[in-house]
Amino acid sequence: MIDDPALRETVTAAGHLMAATREPWWIIGSAAVALHLARPAAVTDVDVLLDLDDAQRLLPMIGLAPVAGTAHPDFRSAVFGRWLGSALPVEFMAGFRHRTADGWRLVYPDTRQCILIDSTTVYVPGKAELHDLLVAFGRPKDVKRAQQLADVM
């Protein structure tokens, strides 16, 4: 189980918010690695991938305006929202893409693993798929996270 109280609180809060969605969703990035490894990792926010329609409905319900996310040159989202209602920020991304050598690639995992935190269900990509996604992102911090997963696969 996750011992970091801030991460535990934030993942649980995100899971409660996502209960209102209709389509599959996933926690990715450092929080997903921490959930897979069940040990603390350097987690500063929780990244949530969700469906465009769900994002258009959910974000206004929690006081966020759905806007396009283009702050990073290698990542973009059709809809982005940053929720600050928990211990750590939660970044919601719909239509999330990352830049590859062949152009922009939509990030939509094929695997979906259920993880129970207290009484809250959250979802992450399977370890192998999360590993490959982090490697594809290519940033040093993502490659390090991928290595953490590879060490337990």
Side-chain angles (χ1 to χ4, degrees):
M1 278 302 186
I2 299 296
D3 292 330
D4 179 341
L7 178 58
R8 185 178 203 84
E9 174 193 329
T10 305
V11 166
T12 302
H16 285 291
L17 292 173
M18 297 308 291
T21 62
R22 297 178 182 150
E23 299 298 328
W25 60 275
W26 300 262
I27 292 175
I28 63 167
S30 60
V33 172
L35 288 166
H36 271 300
L37 300 178
R39 67 175 188 248
V43 179
T44 58
D45 62 15
V46 173
D47 299 320
V48 177
L49 289 180
L50 72 160
D51 176 79
L52 285 167
D53 290 339
D54 282 335
Q56 295 287 358
R57 282 186 303 95
L58 177 68
L59 296 184
M61 289 171 41
I62 60 174
L64 299 175
V67 297
T70 58
H72 192 283
D74 294 326
F75 302 97
R76 64 170 62 153
S77 298
V79 172
F80 178 84
R82 188 164 203 225
W83 183 65
L84 303 174
S86 193
L88 301 173
V90 178
E91 294 188 347
F92 296 97
M93 299 168 286
F96 178 63
R97 298 176 186 280
H98 76 94
R99 185 188 306 268
T100 69
D102 299 323
W104 290 97
R105 176 180 171 252
L106 179 66
V107 176
Y108 195 86
D110 292 319
T111 57
R112 191 169 187 242
Q113 183 176 334
C114 172
I115 296 179
L116 191 63
I117 302 293
D118 298 326
S119 59
T120 305
T121 301
V122 298
Y123 301 93
V124 295
K127 279 183 190 174
E129 185 173 20
L130 181 59
H131 171 273
D132 293 348
L133 181 62
L134 293 168
V135 168
F137 288 169
R139 299 177 299 179
K141 67 180 183 178
D142 294 318
V143 172
K144 181 179 178 183
R145 292 172 185 146
Q147 186 58 53
Q148 290 175 309
L149 286 173
D151 290 345
V152 297
M153 291 180 7

